[in-house]
Amino acid sequence: MGANYVFSLQPTFTQGLILGQLSILALLVFVLKYLFMDSTKYPFETTTYQPRMNNDSIMRSQKVYQVSNEGGSNKVDESAEWLNMLLHQIAGTYRSKLRNDLSGAEGDEVARKRVEDYANRIRPASFLDPIVVHSVDFGSSAPHLSNGRRVLRAQSSDEPPEIEFDVNYVDSLSVSLSTSYLFNYPMPLFARLPVALTISLSLFKSSITITPPLHNSPAPTLTFSISPTFTLDLTTMSLMGSRAKLANVPKLHDLIQHQVHRVLAAKGVWKVVLPGLATVDEVKNEMTDAVS
């Protein structure tokens, strides 16, 4: 009779096999839960790791893209310089406004808090703990335009001309943050996997179509349309785990770059409010009136 049961007082091969598999599974769960994951609500308060910006990796030399002076190409480059100056001024104004026109540590904190609030508004709360943004860098440069050419297409007389440029953007744009990925199996909040990231821009390269505002527009904006085949290179530094840490996981970098690329491609068209000529609310109202 005893041989008909899986477990009996007499050890059998089947019992040993089952116990061996259960012990391996238990050991695997123990390693994942207590070595790489964290069951506490605030894992970065109980670990020695503190995310830190790597200035050598993030700060990059500002590349200047020039067009060859042969065959009149220099004239094209010179014709774009006024627009490059305008873009630099617009970028500087936006950076200042994101800091509430404050300088130093006070302005840094305002910018950090704004990015953190936005990140937590869009995060999937069922999969991620609240996101803590440790620092942000909005850069100091602006996209550099070159090789301007007029877009030839049927347009009405009251529509502004469209100009296409090649754009290259290299800057110290970066964000450093930490959060935890939530594991809800086999039970809700079974464990947390702490993740710390520093994401910085290496290169954005694309062709871009710029449409100037209508001469009678009450809220002038520049409209930028990027090519769907743009190039985006990000640098990602990451740490995953609580006590034992996995550094710079390639799959995580690929996932982040893919998601950022997808968001930019889906957006496609960007309207930039010209500082001093219009406000964001005025532009929103004009767009609502145009749709209705």
Side-chain angles (χ1 to χ4, degrees):
M1 292 293 292
N4 295 329
Y5 295 93
V6 175
F7 294 99
S8 65
L9 295 178
Q10 183 70 29
T12 65
F13 173 78
T14 302
Q15 293 177 8
L17 179 63
I18 294 176
L19 288 175
Q21 295 295 327
L22 289 176
S23 63
I24 293 175
L25 180 61
L27 179 62
L28 179 61
V29 171
F30 176 84
V31 170
L32 289 177
K33 183 174 176 61
Y34 295 103
L35 193 59
F36 290 101
M37 300 180 190
D38 202 308
S39 58
T40 61
K41 187 174 181 180
Y42 304 103
F44 286 98
E45 293 182 1
T46 59
T47 180
T48 58
Y49 173 72
Q50 292 294 331
R52 184 175 60 184
M53 305 291 284
N54 188 329
N55 292 330
D56 292 336
S57 298
I58 295 176
M59 295 300 295
R60 309 183 187 283
S61 60
Q62 301 302 308
K63 299 180 181 178
V64 178
Y65 296 86
Q66 298 179 341
V67 180
S68 171
N69 289 331
E70 297 180 1
S73 296
N74 58 329
K75 296 181 180 179
V76 176
D77 189 57
E78 290 172 0
S79 67
E81 283 309 308
W82 69 270
L83 188 53
N84 285 318
M85 293 176 60
L86 176 62
L87 287 178
H88 202 283
Q89 292 177 356
I90 292 175
T93 300
Y94 270 87
R95 291 188 185 101
S96 180
K97 294 305 178 184
L98 286 171
R99 300 165 58 92
N100 280 356
D101 296 325
L102 299 173
S103 60
E106 192 175 2
D108 292 342
E109 176 59 20
V110 171
R112 185 204 65 80
K113 189 66 169 59
R114 280 187 166 169
V115 174
E116 183 177 88
D117 291 344
Y118 176 76
N120 281 292
R121 284 200 304 270
I122 64 174
R123 73 179 173 91
S126 58
F127 296 103
L128 289 180
D129 260 344
I131 297 172
V132 177
V133 174
H134 300 277
S135 61
V136 293
D137 184 351
F138 292 130
S140 58
S141 184
H144 186 87
L145 305 179
S146 62
N147 193 25
R149 60 267 185 194
R150 182 166 180 171
V151 178
L152 299 178
R153 64 181 61 171
Q155 291 178 320
S156 61
S157 58
D158 59 342
E159 290 182 344
E162 295 182 347
I163 308 297
E164 189 175 59
F165 290 92
D166 295 329
V167 59
N168 293 275
Y169 185 35
V170 179
D171 206 346
S172 58
L173 196 69
S174 65
V175 59
S176 178
L177 57 89
S178 61
T179 185
S180 292
Y181 182 84
L182 303 178
F183 287 83
N184 296 312
Y185 184 84
M187 64 187 68
L189 301 180
F190 171 70
R192 289 174 167 85
L193 176 63
V195 180
L197 295 169
T198 296
I199 306 169
S200 57
L201 174 68
S202 293
L203 171 67
F204 176 82
K205 185 176 182 179
S206 176
S207 61
I208 187 170
T209 302
I210 301 179
T211 306
L214 293 170
H215 66 278
N216 58 351
S217 174
T221 61
L222 286 176
T223 302
F224 295 83
S225 304
I226 63 174
S227 168
T229 58
F230 64 87
T231 298
L232 175 68
D233 289 332
L234 300 176
T235 298
T236 304
M237 294 181 291
S238 63
L239 282 180
M240 301 175 62
S242 177
R243 294 165 180 83
K245 296 180 174 63
L246 303 175
N248 300 328
V249 180
K251 288 295 184 182
L252 182 59
H253 166 78
D254 294 342
L255 174 63
I256 293 172
Q257 177 143 315
H258 172 74
Q259 290 298 323
V260 175
H261 193 286
R262 183 183 64 82
V263 170
L264 289 177
K267 181 71 175 178
V269 178
W270 307 78
K271 286 186 175 292
V272 177
V273 179
L274 298 177
L277 299 180
T279 65
V280 174
D281 290 336
E282 289 173 344
V283 173
K284 288 182 178 179
N285 291 335
E286 185 180 26
M287 295 175 63
T288 301
D289 294 341
V291 172
S292 58

